[in-house]
Amino acid sequence: MMSTVMSGRVGRRACVIVIGFVAALSVGCTAGDEELQAWMDESRRNTPVSITKVAEPKVFAPFRYPATSEVDPFNAAKLRVGIESPTRNGPKGPDMGRLREPLESYSLDAFKMVGNLKQGAMVVGLLKSDSAVHQVRVGNYIGQNFGRIVAISETEVAVRESVQDAAGDWVERDTALRLQESGK
């Protein structure tokens, strides 16, 4: 019981000491305010004031489109005609309704020409993908970009692909799978 009474007195004394210390600090902080305020006033008086003039705003001059006989490039009707037109500047695009051939599931980069065969007047190309060798003829579809084999020679298989450009038009591009040397 005696220790409880002693600890209560010590706790009260510590609290009074802390409160007195905080009060002394707050009095000490306000004593230097006059000196600080005087320095700030003097700095304001001695600092030169420079005001830069804001430039006048530019005058807007409307532009009239003088080519009245030409099509207005901002006309919504021009956009509508371009979008609705099924055949714009190139071929109409691939036949989306036809049945896809097995070699169209591979990328064109997956094939390597490894040889060719002649069966009478018909030339057959030999293309390797993964570990399988495929026989291809002119007219077969190949690759994922609607590629169609247009020619087969002893050294290459020519392919014409149909791809969409940035404007959405279908364009044809020609590429070839060349005969691989035996060391590769």
Side-chain angles (χ1 to χ4, degrees):
M1 175 110 174
M2 183 76 154
S3 64
T4 310
V5 173
M6 289 297 279
S7 63
R9 288 183 188 164
V10 171
R12 285 187 197 137
R13 280 189 187 162
C15 186
V16 170
I17 292 173
V18 168
I19 290 174
F21 184 69
V22 170
L25 280 177
S26 65
V27 169
C29 289
T30 58
D33 281 351
E34 295 86 25
E35 185 180 316
L36 180 62
Q37 189 64 39
W39 177 80
M40 287 178 61
D41 291 338
E42 183 181 337
S43 295
R44 280 192 195 110
R45 281 191 301 267
N46 294 336
T47 304
V49 178
S50 63
I51 299 174
T52 57
K53 187 174 181 181
V54 177
E56 291 290 324
K58 295 181 181 178
V59 178
F60 173 73
F63 178 77
R64 281 219 173 270
Y65 189 68
T68 55
S69 63
E70 299 291 324
V71 178
D72 182 5
F74 304 106
N75 189 350
K78 179 182 176 189
L79 260 173
R80 201 169 27 257
V81 168
I83 292 172
E84 291 171 357
S85 173
T87 58
R88 293 191 280 260
N89 296 330
K92 65 178 181 178
D95 180 14
M96 298 293 187
R98 71 171 174 79
L99 211 56
R100 304 285 297 238
E101 293 185 16
L103 296 182
E104 288 183 273
S105 61
Y106 296 97
S107 170
L108 204 56
D109 295 339
F111 293 104
K112 294 179 182 175
M113 183 178 180
V114 292
N116 62 4
L117 298 172
K118 277 194 168 189
Q119 295 175 340
M122 184 184 296
V123 179
V124 176
L126 299 175
L127 300 179
K128 183 177 182 179
S129 67
D130 297 330
S131 61
V133 176
H134 308 278
Q135 294 183 10
V136 294
R137 293 170 180 75
V138 173
N140 286 132
Y141 287 91
I142 186 172
Q144 296 174 336
N145 290 327
F146 306 102
R148 189 167 192 173
I149 297 174
V150 292
I152 300 174
S153 71
E154 292 181 10
T155 58
E156 71 179 19
V157 174
V159 179
R160 180 167 291 142
E161 295 179 302
S162 295
V163 294
Q164 280 185 314
D165 63 3
D169 293 331
W170 286 98
V171 294
E172 291 181 341
R173 70 175 177 204
D174 292 328
T175 186
L177 299 169
R178 294 191 177 25
L179 183 64
Q180 297 292 311
E181 297 295 324
S182 61
K184 289 185 181 179

